[in-house]
Coordinates of all heavy atoms in Angstrom, one line a residue:
M1 N -3.4 -8.5 19.3 CA -3.6 -8.9 17.9 C -3.3 -7.8 17.0 O -3.7 -6.7 17.1 CB -5.1 -9.3 17.8 CG -5.5 -9.9 16.5 SD -7.2 -10.5 16.7 CE -7.6 -10.6 15.0
R2 N -2.6 -8.1 16.0 CA -2.1 -7.1 15.0 C -3.2 -6.7 14.0 O -3.9 -7.6 13.4 CB -0.9 -7.7 14.3 CG -0.3 -6.7 13.3 CD 1.0 -7.3 12.8 NE 1.5 -6.5 11.7 CZ 2.3 -6.9 10.7 NH1 2.7 -8.1 10.8 NH2 2.7 -6.1 9.8
G3 N -3.5 -5.4 13.8 CA -4.5 -4.9 12.9 C -4.1 -5.1 11.5 O -2.9 -5.2 11.1
N4 N -5.1 -5.0 10.5 CA -4.9 -5.1 9.2 C -5.1 -3.7 8.5 O -5.8 -2.9 9.1 CB -5.9 -6.0 8.5 CG -5.6 -7.4 8.9 OD1 -4.5 -7.8 9.2 ND2 -6.7 -8.2 9.0
Q5 N -4.6 -3.5 7.3 CA -4.9 -2.3 6.6 C -5.9 -2.5 5.5 O -5.6 -3.0 4.5 CB -3.5 -1.8 5.9 CG -2.5 -1.4 6.9 CD -1.3 -0.8 6.2 OE1 -1.3 -0.4 5.1 NE2 -0.2 -0.7 6.9
D6 N -7.2 -2.1 5.9 CA -8.3 -2.3 4.9 C -8.6 -0.9 4.4 O -8.9 0.0 5.2 CB -9.5 -2.9 5.6 CG -9.2 -4.3 6.1 OD1 -8.4 -5.0 5.4 OD2 -9.7 -4.7 7.1
F7 N -8.7 -0.8 3.0 CA -8.9 0.5 2.5 C -10.3 0.6 1.8 O -10.6 -0.4 1.0 CB -7.9 0.9 1.4 CG -6.5 0.9 2.0 CD1 -5.6 -0.1 1.7 CD2 -6.1 1.9 2.8 CE1 -4.2 0.0 2.2 CE2 -4.9 2.0 3.4 CZ -3.9 1.0 3.1
Q8 N -11.1 1.6 2.0 CA -12.4 1.8 1.4 C -12.5 3.2 0.9 O -13.6 3.8 1.1 CB -13.5 1.4 2.3 CG -13.6 0.0 2.7 CD -14.7 -0.3 3.6 OE1 -15.3 0.6 4.2 NE2 -15.1 -1.6 3.7
G9 N -11.5 3.8 0.4 CA -11.5 5.2 0.0 C -12.5 5.6 -1.0 O -13.0 6.7 -1.1
A10 N -12.8 4.7 -1.9 CA -13.7 5.0 -3.1 C -15.1 5.2 -2.6 O -15.9 5.8 -3.3 CB -13.7 3.8 -4.1
M11 N -15.4 4.8 -1.4 CA -16.8 5.1 -0.9 C -17.1 6.5 -0.7 O -18.2 6.9 -0.8 CB -17.0 4.2 0.4 CG -18.3 4.3 1.0 SD -18.5 3.5 2.5 CE -18.3 1.8 2.0
F12 N -16.1 7.3 -0.3 CA -16.3 8.7 0.2 C -15.8 9.7 -0.8 O -16.1 10.9 -0.7 CB -15.7 8.9 1.5 CG -16.3 8.0 2.5 CD1 -15.6 7.0 3.1 CD2 -17.6 8.2 3.0 CE1 -16.1 6.2 4.0 CE2 -18.2 7.3 4.0 CZ -17.4 6.3 4.5
S13 N -15.0 9.4 -1.8 CA -14.4 10.4 -2.7 C -14.2 9.8 -4.1 O -13.9 8.6 -4.2 CB -13.1 10.8 -2.1 OG -12.5 11.7 -3.0
Y14 N -14.4 10.6 -5.0 CA -14.2 10.1 -6.4 C -12.7 10.2 -6.8 O -12.3 9.5 -7.7 CB -14.9 11.0 -7.4 CG -16.4 10.9 -7.2 CD1 -17.2 11.9 -6.7 CD2 -17.1 9.7 -7.6 CE1 -18.6 11.8 -6.5 CE2 -18.4 9.6 -7.4 CZ -19.2 10.6 -6.8 OH -20.5 10.5 -6.7
I15 N -11.9 11.0 -6.1 CA -10.5 11.0 -6.3 C -9.7 10.4 -5.2 O -9.9 10.9 -4.0 CB -10.0 12.6 -6.5 CG1 -10.8 13.2 -7.6 CG2 -8.6 12.6 -6.8 CD1 -10.6 14.7 -7.8
S16 N -8.9 9.4 -5.5 CA -8.2 8.7 -4.4 C -7.1 9.6 -3.9 O -6.6 10.5 -4.6 CB -7.6 7.4 -4.9 OG -6.6 7.6 -5.8
L17 N -6.5 9.3 -2.7 CA -5.4 10.0 -2.2 C -4.2 9.8 -3.1 O -3.3 10.7 -3.2 CB -5.1 9.6 -0.7 CG -6.0 10.1 0.3 CD1 -5.5 9.6 1.7 CD2 -6.1 11.6 0.3
E18 N -4.1 8.6 -3.7 CA -2.9 8.4 -4.6 C -2.9 9.3 -5.7 O -1.8 9.8 -6.2 CB -3.1 6.9 -5.1 CG -1.9 6.4 -5.8 CD -0.7 6.2 -4.9 OE1 -0.8 5.8 -3.8 OE2 0.5 6.4 -5.4
E19 N -4.0 9.7 -6.2 CA -4.2 10.7 -7.4 C -3.9 12.1 -6.9 O -3.5 12.9 -7.7 CB -5.5 10.6 -8.0 CG -5.8 9.3 -8.7 CD -7.2 9.1 -9.2 OE1 -8.1 9.7 -8.7 OE2 -7.4 8.3 -10.1
R20 N -4.2 12.4 -5.6 CA -4.0 13.8 -5.1 C -2.6 14.2 -4.9 O -2.2 15.3 -5.0 CB -4.9 13.9 -3.8 CG -6.3 13.9 -4.1 CD -7.1 14.1 -2.7 NE -8.5 13.8 -2.9 CZ -9.4 14.7 -3.1 NH1 -9.0 16.0 -3.2 NH2 -10.6 14.4 -3.1
V21 N -1.8 13.1 -4.6 CA -0.3 13.4 -4.3 C 0.4 13.5 -5.6 O 0.4 12.6 -6.5 CB 0.3 12.3 -3.5 CG1 1.7 12.6 -3.2 CG2 -0.4 12.2 -2.1
P22 N 1.1 14.7 -5.8 CA 1.8 14.8 -7.1 C 2.9 13.8 -7.4 O 3.5 13.2 -6.4 CB 2.5 16.2 -7.0 CG 1.8 16.9 -5.9 CD 1.2 15.8 -5.0
A23 N 3.0 13.3 -8.6 CA 3.9 12.3 -9.0 C 5.4 12.6 -8.6 O 6.1 11.7 -8.3 CB 3.8 11.9 -10.4
A24 N 5.8 13.8 -8.6 CA 7.1 14.2 -8.3 C 7.4 14.5 -6.9 O 8.5 15.1 -6.5 CB 7.6 15.3 -9.2
H25 N 6.4 14.3 -6.0 CA 6.6 14.7 -4.6 C 7.6 13.9 -3.9 O 7.7 12.6 -4.1 CB 5.2 14.6 -3.9 CG 5.2 15.3 -2.5 ND1 5.9 14.9 -1.4 CD2 4.6 16.5 -2.2 CE1 5.7 15.8 -0.5 NE2 4.9 16.8 -0.9
P26 N 8.5 14.5 -3.1 CA 9.6 13.7 -2.5 C 9.2 12.6 -1.6 O 9.9 11.6 -1.4 CB 10.4 14.8 -1.7 CG 9.9 16.1 -2.1 CD 8.6 15.9 -2.9
L27 N 8.0 12.8 -1.0 CA 7.5 11.7 -0.1 C 7.2 10.4 -0.8 O 7.1 9.4 -0.2 CB 6.3 12.2 0.8 CG 6.6 13.1 2.0 CD1 5.4 13.4 2.7 CD2 7.6 12.4 2.9
R28 N 7.0 10.5 -2.1 CA 6.7 9.3 -2.8 C 7.8 8.3 -2.8 O 7.7 7.1 -2.5 CB 6.3 9.6 -4.3 CG 4.9 10.1 -4.4 CD 4.5 9.9 -5.9 NE 3.1 10.3 -6.1 CZ 2.1 9.4 -5.9 NH1 2.3 8.2 -5.6 NH2 0.8 9.9 -6.1
K29 N 9.1 8.8 -3.0 CA 10.3 8.0 -3.0 C 10.5 7.5 -1.6 O 10.8 6.3 -1.4 CB 11.5 8.7 -3.5 CG 11.4 9.0 -5.0 CD 12.7 9.8 -5.4 CE 12.6 10.2 -6.8 NZ 13.7 11.0 -7.3
L30 N 10.3 8.3 -0.6 CA 10.6 7.9 0.7 C 9.5 6.9 1.2 O 9.9 5.9 1.8 CB 10.5 9.2 1.7 CG 10.7 8.9 3.2 CD1 12.1 8.3 3.4 CD2 10.5 10.1 4.0
R31 N 8.3 7.0 0.8 CA 7.3 6.1 1.2 C 7.6 4.7 0.6 O 7.4 3.6 1.2 CB 5.9 6.5 0.7 CG 4.8 5.6 1.1 CD 3.5 6.0 0.6 NE 2.4 5.0 1.0 CZ 1.3 4.9 0.4 NH1 1.0 5.6 -0.7 NH2 0.4 4.1 0.8
A32 N 8.1 4.7 -0.7 CA 8.4 3.4 -1.3 C 9.6 2.7 -0.5 O 9.6 1.5 -0.3 CB 8.9 3.6 -2.7
V33 N 10.5 3.4 -0.1 CA 11.7 2.9 0.7 C 11.2 2.4 2.1 O 11.5 1.3 2.5 CB 12.8 3.9 0.8 CG1 13.9 3.5 1.8 CG2 13.4 4.3 -0.5
V34 N 10.4 3.2 2.7 CA 9.9 2.8 4.0 C 9.0 1.6 4.0 O 9.0 0.7 4.8 CB 9.1 4.0 4.7 CG1 8.4 3.7 5.9 CG2 10.1 5.1 5.0
D35 N 8.1 1.6 3.0 CA 7.3 0.4 2.8 C 8.1 -0.9 2.6 O 7.8 -1.9 3.1 CB 6.3 0.6 1.7 CG 5.1 1.6 2.0 OD1 4.9 1.8 3.3 OD2 4.4 2.0 1.1
A36 N 9.1 -0.8 1.8 CA 10.0 -2.0 1.5 C 10.7 -2.4 2.8 O 10.7 -3.6 3.1 CB 11.0 -1.6 0.5
L37 N 11.1 -1.4 3.6 CA 11.8 -1.7 4.8 C 10.9 -2.4 5.8 O 11.2 -3.4 6.5 CB 12.4 -0.5 5.4 CG 13.1 -0.7 6.8 CD1 14.3 -1.5 6.6 CD2 13.5 0.7 7.4
L38 N 9.6 -1.8 5.9 CA 8.7 -2.3 6.9 C 8.2 -3.7 6.5 O 7.9 -4.5 7.4 CB 7.6 -1.3 7.1 CG 7.9 0.0 7.8 CD1 6.7 1.0 7.8 CD2 8.4 -0.3 9.2
S39 N 8.0 -3.9 5.2 CA 7.6 -5.2 4.8 C 8.6 -6.3 5.0 O 8.3 -7.5 5.3 CB 7.2 -5.2 3.3 OG 8.3 -5.0 2.5
S40 N 9.9 -5.9 5.1 CA 10.9 -6.9 5.4 C 11.0 -7.2 6.9 O 11.5 -8.2 7.3 CB 12.3 -6.4 4.9 OG 12.7 -5.3 5.8
M41 N 10.3 -6.3 7.7 CA 10.2 -6.6 9.2 C 9.0 -7.3 9.5 O 8.7 -7.4 10.8 CB 10.4 -5.2 9.9 CG 11.7 -4.5 9.6 SD 11.7 -2.8 10.3 CE 11.5 -3.2 12.1
N42 N 8.2 -7.7 8.6 CA 6.9 -8.3 8.9 C 7.0 -9.5 9.9 O 6.2 -9.6 10.8 CB 6.2 -8.8 7.6 CG 4.8 -9.1 7.8 OD1 4.1 -8.5 8.6 ND2 4.2 -10.0 6.9
R43 N 8.0 -10.3 9.7 CA 8.1 -11.4 10.7 C 8.3 -11.0 12.1 O 7.9 -11.6 13.1 CB 9.3 -12.3 10.2 CG 9.2 -13.8 10.7 CD 10.3 -14.6 10.0 NE 10.0 -14.7 8.6 CZ 10.6 -15.6 7.8 NH1 11.5 -16.4 8.3 NH2 10.3 -15.7 6.6
E44 N 9.2 -10.0 12.3 CA 9.4 -9.5 13.6 C 8.2 -8.9 14.2 O 7.9 -9.0 15.4 CB 10.5 -8.4 13.6 CG 11.9 -8.9 13.4 CD 12.2 -9.1 11.9 OE1 11.4 -8.8 11.0 OE2 13.3 -9.6 11.6
F45 N 7.4 -8.2 13.4 CA 6.1 -7.6 13.9 C 5.2 -8.7 14.4 O 4.5 -8.7 15.4 CB 5.4 -6.7 12.9 CG 6.1 -5.4 12.6 CD1 6.2 -4.9 11.3 CD2 6.8 -4.7 13.6 CE1 6.9 -3.8 11.0 CE2 7.5 -3.6 13.4 CZ 7.5 -3.1 12.1
E46 N 5.0 -9.7 13.6 CA 4.1 -10.8 13.9 C 4.5 -11.5 15.2 O 3.7 -12.0 16.0 CB 4.1 -11.9 12.7 CG 3.3 -11.4 11.6 CD 1.8 -11.3 11.8 OE1 1.3 -12.0 12.6 OE2 1.2 -10.5 11.1
A47 N 5.9 -11.6 15.4 CA 6.3 -12.3 16.6 C 6.0 -11.6 17.9 O 5.8 -12.2 19.0 CB 7.8 -12.5 16.5
V48 N 5.9 -10.3 17.9 CA 5.6 -9.5 19.1 C 4.1 -9.2 19.4 O 3.8 -8.7 20.5 CB 6.4 -8.2 19.2 CG1 8.0 -8.5 19.1 CG2 6.0 -7.3 18.0
Y49 N 3.3 -9.5 18.5 CA 1.8 -9.3 18.7 C 1.1 -10.6 19.0 O 1.5 -11.7 18.5 CB 1.2 -8.7 17.4 CG 1.4 -7.2 17.3 CD1 2.6 -6.7 16.8 CD2 0.5 -6.3 17.7 CE1 2.9 -5.4 16.7 CE2 0.7 -4.9 17.6 CZ 1.9 -4.5 17.2 OH 2.1 -3.2 17.1
A50 N 0.1 -10.4 19.9 CA -0.6 -11.7 20.4 C -1.5 -12.2 19.3 O -1.9 -11.4 18.3 CB -1.4 -11.3 21.5
R51 N -1.8 -13.5 19.3 CA -2.7 -14.1 18.3 C -4.1 -13.8 18.6 O -5.0 -13.9 17.7 CB -2.5 -15.6 18.2 CG -1.1 -16.0 17.9 CD -0.8 -15.9 16.4 NE 0.6 -16.3 16.1 CZ 1.5 -15.4 15.7 NH1 1.2 -14.2 15.5 NH2 2.7 -15.9 15.4
R52 N -4.5 -13.5 19.8 CA -5.9 -13.3 20.2 C -6.0 -11.9 20.7 O -5.1 -11.2 21.0 CB -6.3 -14.3 21.3 CG -6.3 -15.7 20.9 CD -6.7 -16.7 22.0 NE -6.1 -16.4 23.2 CZ -6.2 -16.9 24.4 NH1 -7.1 -17.9 24.4 NH2 -5.5 -16.6 25.4
G53 N -7.3 -11.5 20.8 CA -7.6 -10.2 21.3 C -8.1 -9.2 20.2 O -8.3 -9.6 19.1
R54 N -8.2 -8.0 20.6 CA -8.7 -6.9 19.7 C -7.6 -6.5 18.8 O -6.5 -6.4 19.2 CB -9.2 -5.7 20.6 CG -10.6 -5.3 20.4 CD -11.1 -4.3 21.3 NE -10.2 -3.2 21.3 CZ -10.4 -2.1 22.1 NH1 -11.3 -2.1 23.0 NH2 -9.6 -1.1 22.0
P55 N -7.9 -6.2 17.5 CA -6.9 -5.8 16.6 C -6.4 -4.4 16.9 O -7.1 -3.6 17.4 CB -7.6 -5.8 15.2 CG -8.9 -6.5 15.4 CD -9.2 -6.5 16.9
S56 N -5.0 -4.2 16.8 CA -4.5 -3.0 17.1 C -4.3 -2.1 15.8 O -4.6 -2.6 14.7 CB -3.1 -3.2 17.7 OG -2.2 -3.7 16.7
V57 N -3.7 -0.9 16.0 CA -3.3 -0.1 14.8 C -2.1 -0.9 14.3 O -1.1 -1.2 15.0 CB -3.0 1.3 15.2 CG1 -2.5 2.1 14.1 CG2 -4.2 2.0 15.8
P58 N -2.0 -1.1 13.0 CA -0.8 -1.8 12.4 C 0.4 -1.0 12.8 O 0.5 0.2 12.7 CB -1.1 -1.8 10.9 CG -2.5 -1.6 10.8 CD -3.0 -0.8 11.9
P59 N 1.5 -1.7 13.2 CA 2.8 -1.0 13.6 C 3.3 -0.2 12.5 O 4.1 0.7 12.7 CB 3.6 -2.1 14.1 CG 3.1 -3.4 13.5 CD 1.6 -3.2 13.3
E60 N 3.1 -0.6 11.2 CA 3.7 0.1 10.1 C 3.1 1.5 10.0 O 3.9 2.4 9.7 CB 3.3 -0.7 8.7 CG 3.9 -2.1 8.6 CD 3.1 -3.2 9.2 OE1 2.1 -2.9 9.9 OE2 3.5 -4.3 9.0
M61 N 1.8 1.6 10.3 CA 1.2 3.0 10.3 C 1.8 3.8 11.4 O 2.0 5.0 11.3 CB -0.3 2.8 10.5 CG -1.0 2.4 9.3 SD -2.8 2.4 9.7 CE -3.4 2.2 8.0
L62 N 1.9 3.3 12.6 CA 2.5 4.0 13.7 C 4.0 4.5 13.4 O 4.3 5.6 13.7 CB 2.5 3.1 15.0 CG 1.1 2.7 15.5 CD1 1.3 1.7 16.7 CD2 0.4 4.0 15.9
L63 N 4.7 3.6 12.8 CA 6.1 4.0 12.5 C 6.2 5.1 11.5 O 7.0 6.0 11.5 CB 6.9 2.8 12.2 CG 7.2 1.8 13.3 CD1 7.8 0.5 12.8 CD2 8.1 2.5 14.4
K64 N 5.3 4.9 10.5 CA 5.3 6.0 9.4 C 4.8 7.3 9.9 O 5.4 8.3 9.6 CB 4.4 5.5 8.2 CG 5.0 4.4 7.4 CD 4.3 4.3 6.1 CE 3.4 3.1 6.1 NZ 2.8 2.8 4.8
A65 N 3.9 7.3 10.9 CA 3.4 8.5 11.5 C 4.5 9.2 12.3 O 4.8 10.4 12.3 CB 2.2 8.3 12.4
L66 N 5.3 8.3 13.1 CA 6.4 8.9 13.8 C 7.5 9.4 13.0 O 8.2 10.5 13.3 CB 6.9 7.8 14.7 CG 6.1 7.4 15.9 CD1 6.6 6.2 16.7 CD2 5.8 8.6 16.9
L67 N 7.7 8.8 11.8 CA 8.7 9.4 10.8 C 8.2 10.7 10.3 O 9.1 11.7 10.2 CB 8.8 8.4 9.7 CG 9.8 8.8 8.6 CD1 11.2 9.0 9.1 CD2 9.8 7.7 7.4
L68 N 6.9 10.9 10.1 CA 6.4 12.2 9.7 C 6.6 13.3 10.8 O 7.0 14.4 10.5 CB 4.9 12.2 9.4 CG 4.5 11.5 8.1 CD1 3.0 11.5 8.0 CD2 5.0 12.3 6.9
Q69 N 6.5 12.8 12.0 CA 6.7 13.7 13.2 C 8.1 14.2 13.2 O 8.4 15.4 13.4 CB 6.4 13.0 14.5 CG 6.5 13.9 15.7 CD 6.1 13.2 17.0 OE1 6.0 11.9 17.0 NE2 6.0 13.9 18.0
I70 N 9.0 13.4 12.9 CA 10.5 13.8 12.8 C 10.8 14.7 11.6 O 11.4 15.7 11.8 CB 11.4 12.5 12.8 CG1 11.3 11.8 14.1 CG2 12.8 12.9 12.5 CD1 11.8 10.4 14.1
L71 N 10.3 14.2 10.4 CA 10.6 15.0 9.2 C 10.0 16.4 9.2 O 10.6 17.3 8.7 CB 10.0 14.2 8.0 CG 10.7 13.0 7.6 CD1 10.0 12.2 6.6 CD2 12.1 13.2 7.2
F72 N 8.8 16.6 9.8 CA 8.1 17.9 9.8 C 8.2 18.6 11.1 O 7.4 19.6 11.2 CB 6.7 17.7 9.2 CG 6.6 17.3 7.8 CD1 6.5 16.0 7.4 CD2 6.8 18.3 6.8 CE1 6.4 15.6 6.1 CE2 6.8 17.9 5.4 CZ 6.6 16.5 5.1
S73 N 9.0 18.2 12.0 CA 9.2 18.8 13.3 C 7.9 19.1 14.0 O 7.7 20.2 14.5 CB 10.0 20.1 13.1 OG 11.2 19.9 12.5
I74 N 7.1 18.1 14.1 CA 5.8 18.2 14.8 C 6.2 17.9 16.3 O 6.7 16.9 16.6 CB 4.8 17.2 14.3 CG1 4.5 17.5 12.8 CG2 3.5 17.3 15.1 CD1 3.7 16.5 12.1
R75 N 5.8 18.9 17.2 CA 6.3 18.8 18.5 C 5.8 17.8 19.5 O 6.4 17.4 20.5 CB 6.1 20.2 19.2 CG 7.0 21.3 18.5 CD 6.8 22.6 19.1 NE 5.4 23.0 18.9 CZ 4.8 24.1 19.4 NH1 5.4 24.9 20.1 NH2 3.5 24.4 19.1
S76 N 4.6 17.3 19.3 CA 4.0 16.3 20.2 C 3.2 15.3 19.4 O 2.8 15.5 18.3 CB 3.1 17.1 21.2 OG 2.0 17.6 20.7
E77 N 2.9 14.2 20.1 CA 2.0 13.2 19.5 C 0.6 13.7 19.3 O -0.1 13.3 18.4 CB 2.1 11.9 20.3 CG 3.4 11.2 20.2 CD 3.4 9.9 21.0 OE1 2.4 9.6 21.6 OE2 4.5 9.3 21.1
R78 N 0.2 14.5 20.2 CA -1.2 15.2 20.0 C -1.2 16.0 18.8 O -2.2 15.9 18.0 CB -1.5 16.0 21.3 CG -2.9 16.6 21.2 CD -3.2 17.4 22.5 NE -3.0 16.5 23.6 CZ -3.9 16.4 24.6 NH1 -4.9 17.1 24.6 NH2 -3.6 15.6 25.6
Q79 N -0.2 16.8 18.5 CA -0.1 17.6 17.3 C 0.0 16.7 16.1 O -0.5 17.0 15.0 CB 0.9 18.6 17.4 CG 0.6 19.8 18.3 CD 1.8 20.8 18.4 OE1 3.0 20.4 18.0 NE2 1.5 21.9 18.8
L80 N 0.7 15.6 16.2 CA 0.8 14.7 15.1 C -0.5 14.1 14.7 O -0.9 14.1 13.6 CB 1.8 13.5 15.5 CG 2.0 12.4 14.5 CD1 2.6 12.9 13.2 CD2 2.8 11.3 15.1
V81 N -1.3 13.6 15.7 CA -2.6 13.1 15.4 C -3.5 14.2 14.7 O -4.2 13.8 13.8 CB -3.3 12.6 16.7 CG1 -4.8 12.3 16.5 CG2 -2.5 11.4 17.3
E82 N -3.4 15.4 15.2 CA -4.2 16.5 14.6 C -3.8 16.7 13.2 O -4.6 16.9 12.2 CB -4.1 17.7 15.4 CG -4.9 18.8 14.9 CD -4.9 20.1 15.9 OE1 -4.8 19.9 17.1 OE2 -5.0 21.2 15.3
A83 N -2.4 16.7 12.9 CA -1.9 17.0 11.6 C -2.3 15.9 10.7 O -2.6 16.1 9.5 CB -0.4 17.1 11.6
V84 N -2.3 14.6 11.1 CA -2.6 13.5 10.2 C -4.2 13.5 10.0 O -4.6 13.1 8.9 CB -2.3 12.2 10.9 CG1 -2.9 10.9 10.2 CG2 -0.8 12.0 10.9
N85 N -5.0 14.0 10.9 CA -6.4 14.2 10.6 C -6.7 15.2 9.5 O -7.6 15.0 8.8 CB -7.1 14.5 11.9 CG -7.4 13.4 12.8 OD1 -7.5 12.2 12.3 ND2 -7.5 13.6 14.1
Y86 N -5.9 16.2 9.5 CA -6.2 17.3 8.5 C -5.4 17.3 7.2 O -5.9 17.9 6.2 CB -6.0 18.7 9.2 CG -7.0 19.0 10.3 CD1 -6.5 19.2 11.6 CD2 -8.3 18.9 10.1 CE1 -7.4 19.5 12.7 CE2 -9.2 19.2 11.1 CZ -8.7 19.5 12.4 OH -9.6 19.7 13.4
N87 N -4.2 16.8 7.2 CA -3.3 16.9 6.1 C -3.5 15.6 5.2 O -3.1 14.5 5.6 CB -1.9 17.1 6.5 CG -1.0 17.5 5.4 OD1 -1.2 17.0 4.3 ND2 0.0 18.3 5.7
L88 N -4.0 15.8 4.0 CA -4.2 14.6 3.1 C -2.9 14.0 2.7 O -2.8 12.7 2.6 CB -4.9 15.0 1.9 CG -6.4 15.5 2.0 CD1 -7.0 15.9 0.7 CD2 -7.2 14.3 2.6
L89 N -1.8 14.8 2.6 CA -0.5 14.2 2.3 C 0.0 13.3 3.4 O 0.5 12.2 3.1 CB 0.5 15.3 2.1 CG 2.0 14.8 1.8 CD1 2.0 14.1 0.4 CD2 2.9 16.0 1.8
Y90 N -0.2 13.7 4.6 CA 0.2 12.8 5.8 C -0.7 11.6 5.8 O -0.2 10.5 6.1 CB 0.0 13.6 7.1 CG 0.9 14.8 7.3 CD1 0.8 15.6 8.4 CD2 1.9 15.1 6.4 CE1 1.6 16.7 8.6 CE2 2.8 16.1 6.6 CZ 2.6 17.0 7.7 OH 3.5 18.0 7.9
R91 N -1.9 11.7 5.6 CA -2.9 10.6 5.6 C -2.4 9.6 4.5 O -2.4 8.4 4.8 CB -4.3 10.9 5.4 CG -4.9 11.8 6.5 CD -6.3 12.1 6.3 NE -7.2 11.0 6.3 CZ -7.6 10.4 7.5 NH1 -7.2 11.0 8.6 NH2 -8.4 9.4 7.5
W92 N -2.1 10.1 3.3 CA -1.6 9.2 2.3 C -0.3 8.4 2.7 O -0.2 7.3 2.5 CB -1.4 10.0 1.0 CG -0.7 9.3 0.0 CD1 -1.2 8.4 -0.9 CD2 0.7 9.3 -0.3 NE1 -0.2 7.8 -1.7 CE2 1.0 8.5 -1.4 CE3 1.8 10.0 0.2 CZ2 2.3 8.2 -1.9 CZ3 3.1 9.9 -0.3 CH2 3.3 9.0 -1.4
F93 N 0.6 9.2 3.3 CA 1.9 8.6 3.6 C 1.7 7.5 4.7 O 2.3 6.4 4.5 CB 2.9 9.7 4.2 CG 4.2 9.2 4.4 CD1 5.2 9.1 3.4 CD2 4.6 8.8 5.7 CE1 6.4 8.6 3.6 CE2 5.9 8.4 6.0 CZ 6.8 8.2 4.9
V94 N 0.9 7.7 5.6 CA 0.7 6.8 6.7 C -0.1 5.6 6.3 O 0.1 4.5 6.7 CB 0.0 7.5 7.9 CG1 -0.5 6.5 9.0 CG2 0.9 8.5 8.6
G95 N -1.0 5.8 5.3 CA -1.8 4.6 4.7 C -3.2 4.7 5.2 O -3.9 3.7 5.2
L96 N -3.7 5.9 5.5 CA -5.1 6.1 6.0 C -5.9 6.5 4.7 O -5.4 7.1 3.7 CB -5.2 7.1 7.0 CG -4.6 6.8 8.3 CD1 -4.6 7.9 9.3 CD2 -5.3 5.6 9.0
N97 N -7.2 6.3 4.8 CA -8.1 6.8 3.7 C -8.4 8.2 3.8 O -8.3 8.9 4.8 CB -9.4 6.0 3.7 CG -9.2 4.5 3.5 OD1 -8.3 4.1 2.9 ND2 -10.1 3.7 4.0

């Protein structure tokens, strides 16, 4: 079952991640392009996920995290998870709170 992206960032912080990322940061343009591309693939994602079962991590988030791994030369998936946990820019790009 394909997971959803539910955001509740206002519960824990007065400043959203959207406000923390500078307006001129290069990842803003890249995120817009990647989001548009991934939204056009929505039908393909729906076709490969089961209708029943436990919700998964949305494939869009996984693909954006892997793109960060390539862009910032993160050597392993374990280091990628650690970097996404600590770096607010990475969390914003992936779509986490």
Side-chain angles (χ1 to χ4, degrees):
M1 184 170 158
R2 185 172 169 201
N4 296 327
Q5 294 185 17
D6 296 326
F7 300 111
Q8 294 182 345
M11 183 182 295
F12 300 108
S13 178
Y14 295 110
I15 301 172
S16 70
L17 286 180
E18 190 68 35
E19 294 171 338
R20 291 180 190 266
V21 177
H25 198 283
L27 278 183
R28 281 198 176 272
K29 290 181 184 177
L30 181 62
R31 183 181 181 205
V33 170
V34 169
D35 284 343
L37 176 67
L38 291 174
S39 67
S40 73
M41 297 174 63
N42 194 27
R43 201 174 292 193
E44 287 84 2
F45 291 143
E46 287 292 333
V48 296
Y49 278 82
R51 301 281 181 248
R52 297 182 309 179
R54 239 172 53 185
S56 70
V57 176
E60 297 88 351
M61 287 182 164
L62 295 173
L63 291 170
K64 286 194 255 184
L66 291 174
L67 182 59
L68 284 175
Q69 183 177 13
I70 294 166
L71 290 174
F72 291 98
S73 302
I74 300 172
R75 293 180 294 176
S76 69
E77 288 180 4
R78 184 178 301 227
Q79 287 179 338
L80 174 63
V81 169
E82 186 175 323
V84 169
N85 278 332
Y86 292 123
N87 192 325
L88 292 178
L89 178 66
Y90 293 174
R91 294 182 70 79
W92 169 81
F93 186 81
V94 171
L96 295 170
N97 297 332

